[in-house]
Amino acid sequence: MRKRNGQSSARVLIVDDEFHVARSAAMVLSQAGYECETCPNVESALKVLEHQGADVIIADMRMPGMDGMDLLNNVKSKDPDAAVVMSVPLPAVESAKEALRGGAFGCVTKPFDSDELSAVVNRAVEMSALQRENRKLREQLDVATVAAGFIAEAPKSRQLVSMIRRVAPSRTTALIEGETGTGKELVARMLHYWSNRADGPFLAINCKALADGVVESELFGHEKGSFTGAIRDRAGCFERASGGTLFLDEIGEAGPDFQAKMLRVLEDGEVLRVGGSKPRKVDVRIVTATNRKLRHEVAAGRFRADLYFRLSVIPLRIAPLRERREDILPLARHFLAFHSTEAGRPLMLSPEAEESLLAHRWPGNVRELENVIERAVVMSGQETLMPEAFAFDDDGSDEELVQVAGIARAAGIDSAVGANMTAGSAIDSNQVEVAPPPVENQEEGTLQASLDRAATVRIKAALSAAGGNRVDAATALGVDRTTLYRLMKRLSL
């Protein structure tokens, strides 16, 4: 909105190759209080929009060269909320349908009816203002939601949040490194929402999810006719994110061609569309993320060193959840509150459940923690969650076998069992003969069954000696609490 005599005046851009038609529309709308500008073609209109913008665009649907539909697609690719009114020739039914399917706010027929034109533009201005207000409210809510979703109780987490607040106002590139599931996109969103670009777009792209044949077109855009199926010009992610932040996840998966073009964007602030000959200026902050060590990728020759140094001006490392254990229970309670509210029934964690969560290693990090809590909410029929409600993503079967074997040996299983477990792989069985256990000690069934029977006896004895306290029993058995809970569940103890 522009100010005219202290009043808000909406700016209307009229695009029509017929001069007298454009002038007539501008006169009608100027009398209604709008600030108007006319353009004879789409090319000149795009230049005006790039430098001045407009609240409403009126475009002739049929023009030589690029037409109103081309303009509509171009504008909508950059701003989905843009109000574009299409002027269509009579008979208008099919043309109007095409325009509305393309995202036009509305249509007016040529020659213009003054009242109809003013009414449509007035509705478009009101809708545009409402959408802007809604966008601001959504962004304010997003800021609060993002900040609430990042739990920072552990020292490493607090240091990270402090760093994000310091560097967010800058437009400098940032590289976020962390294991899968640590919350890299959440950190990227915090960088955006705490910056002066918060009013601009935040666009998140997973480089690994893009097929090789569409990477350049998706990220850099393409010109009409540049390849089969390119029926219209299309802006890429860099252009669509202009004025805001572009988050490129899994940047370590980017191929050589993409890396070279990416370097040009960082150095020159320009993108070249596929099939295009003229670079386009973009104003975008680039934030990247990876679960790899990009320095190792550089050393291996898979990632450009010059691009790495451009991307990692501000390096941000998210520690895995096992290194910030103070965050586990606050995160668990946060996820439990959310998912129990979704389920419509209040739930809480028992002390034993909290101990189980603290004892787990969380190889899947925060994402695994949320999945475990959500699954427990869905599956549990009790108001208080116990350790048995948790089904951890890593079943720990190999580690559990080792723990069971250790408990079984403590219960008196012959050491030959351990020898039989390793002789075939560590020693040539043709050179060393392993003596079988005495016949009277052999039991029917598999090795695992024998170990399970011995482990059952030992666990029961430890529980009895600890007076039923599973934490003390786990300590006496030399295993962590999570392993003991899992063994008891599997052995039906």
Side-chain angles (χ1 to χ4, degrees):
M1 294 282 187
R2 307 299 174 91
K3 294 287 186 179
R4 176 181 288 181
N5 298 327
Q7 301 294 320
S8 294
S9 176
R11 174 177 165 78
V12 180
L13 179 64
I14 304 166
V15 188
D16 200 305
D17 61 317
E18 298 180 76
F19 173 74
H20 67 282
V21 173
R23 185 179 61 176
S24 174
M27 289 177 59
V28 170
L29 295 174
S30 295
Q31 291 173 359
Y34 298 112
E35 177 187 339
C36 298
E37 182 171 351
T38 62
C39 288
N41 52 55
V42 171
E43 290 81 3
S44 60
L46 291 174
K47 291 180 181 178
V48 170
L49 289 171
E50 184 177 351
H51 293 96
Q52 296 178 271
D55 297 297
V56 178
I57 303 167
I58 302 175
D60 186 5
M61 189 166 183
R62 304 291 181 231
M63 289 184 285
M66 295 180 69
D67 60 19
M69 289 301 295
D70 292 316
L71 178 61
L72 175 64
N73 289 326
N74 188 294
V75 170
K76 284 291 184 178
S77 69
K78 298 176 181 176
D79 181 8
D81 295 333
V84 181
V85 175
M86 200 69 71
S87 61
V88 296
L90 288 171
V93 176
E94 292 304 320
S95 298
K97 285 182 179 179
E98 182 183 354
L100 294 174
R101 280 196 298 266
F105 171 80
C107 297
V108 291
T109 56
K110 294 176 65 176
F112 297 126
D113 177 85
S114 298
D115 292 336
E116 179 191 11
L117 179 63
S118 298
V120 171
V121 171
N122 186 50
R123 290 198 302 272
V125 169
E126 291 177 351
M127 179 61 70
S128 180
L130 181 61
Q131 288 174 332
R132 280 196 300 271
E133 183 65 25
N134 286 341
R135 185 164 56 247
K136 288 182 180 179
L137 291 174
R138 284 197 305 269
E139 287 166 353
Q140 292 171 3
L141 179 61
D142 285 341
V143 172
T145 302
V146 166
F150 194 90
I151 304 297
E153 295 293 333
K156 288 185 178 181
S157 298
R158 292 186 178 187
Q159 290 170 8
L160 177 62
V161 172
S162 176
M163 174 68 79
I164 293 170
R165 286 192 180 277
R166 284 203 304 273
V167 305
S170 167
R171 63 166 293 170
T172 307
T173 58
L175 173 64
I176 306 169
E177 292 186 310
E179 295 179 3
T180 298
T182 49
K184 294 186 286 295
E185 183 172 338
L186 186 59
V187 169
R189 288 184 181 275
M190 291 169 70
L191 282 170
H192 174 73
Y193 290 126
W194 287 346
S195 75
N196 56 9
R197 294 173 170 265
D199 289 338
F202 176 88
L203 196 57
I205 299 294
N206 189 314
C207 297
K208 192 175 182 178
L210 296 175
D212 291 338
V214 301
V215 171
E216 291 190 29
S217 173
E218 180 65 28
L219 294 174
F220 303 106
H222 62 254
E223 298 287 345
K224 180 179 179 180
S226 58
F227 55 85
T228 303
I231 59 175
R232 298 191 185 280
D233 290 348
R234 186 174 188 275
C237 294
F238 286 94
E239 290 182 72
R240 299 204 301 272
S242 192
T245 303
L246 177 61
F247 173 55
L248 297 174
D249 199 3
E250 304 286 1
I251 190 64
E253 305 292 334
D257 291 342
F258 169 62
Q259 291 181 36
K261 286 197 172 186
M262 177 84 166
L263 188 61
R264 177 172 181 171
V265 176
L266 292 170
E267 291 178 341
D268 303 330
E270 296 178 339
V271 295
L272 183 64
R273 290 182 177 181
V274 176
S277 57
K278 182 181 178 182
R280 297 167 181 265
K281 285 286 185 182
V282 291
D283 172 26
V284 60
R285 184 185 193 177
I286 297 174
V287 178
T288 55
T290 179
N291 57 12
R292 299 183 179 186
K293 293 287 187 183
L294 274 194
R295 285 167 295 181
H296 298 168
E297 297 298 302
V298 171
R302 291 188 292 267
F303 202 86
R304 294 179 62 126
D306 48 2
L307 179 58
Y308 168 72
F309 291 118
R310 285 278 186 175
L311 294 177
S312 60
V313 175
I314 299 175
L316 297 170
R317 180 182 179 272
I318 309 177
L321 193 53
R322 62 183 174 275
E323 293 181 10
R324 46 190 177 103
R325 308 196 73 78
E326 297 90 342
D327 291 343
I328 293 175
L329 292 184
L331 279 167
R333 294 175 187 133
H334 171 76
F335 293 139
L336 182 62
F338 175 79
H339 290 294
S340 60
T341 300
E342 289 281 298
R345 55 194 183 100
L347 296 170
M348 61 181 296
L349 296 168
S350 68
E352 294 86 356
E354 292 184 348
E355 290 175 0
S356 177
L357 293 173
L358 287 171
H360 188 57
R361 292 186 68 254
W362 301 110
N365 294 294
V366 179
R367 185 179 299 146
E368 180 192 358
L369 175 58
E370 181 173 12
N371 289 345
V372 166
I373 295 296
E374 182 178 7
R375 198 157 47 217
V377 169
V378 172
M379 301 302 293
S380 177
Q382 300 177 341
E383 293 184 357
T384 301
L385 297 182
M386 299 299 290
E388 294 78 10
F390 302 136
F392 295 112
D393 288 342
D394 65 322
D395 60 13
S397 55
D398 293 338
E399 179 183 353
E400 188 175 297
L401 179 59
V402 174
Q403 299 281 10
V404 170
I407 295 172
R409 281 195 294 272
I413 291 289
D414 194 283
S415 61
V417 170
N420 276 317
M421 292 175 65
T422 59
S425 56
I427 303 174
D428 188 341
S429 59
N430 292 324
Q431 297 177 354
V432 179
E433 183 177 349
V434 179
V439 174
E440 60 269 23
N441 289 336
Q442 290 185 356
E443 298 183 67
E444 294 181 358
T446 64
L447 171 62
Q448 183 64 60
S450 299
L451 292 174
D452 285 350
R453 282 191 289 269
T456 298
V457 173
R458 182 72 182 91
I459 291 172
K460 285 182 176 179
L463 286 169
S464 177
N469 188 309
R470 288 181 280 188
V471 175
D472 291 343
T475 302
L477 291 168
V479 299
D480 60 66
R481 289 163 291 184
T482 303
T483 299
L484 179 59
Y485 294 144
R486 196 161 49 225
L487 285 171
M488 291 177 63
K489 183 176 181 180
R490 187 167 65 77
L491 298 172
S492 301
L493 295 179

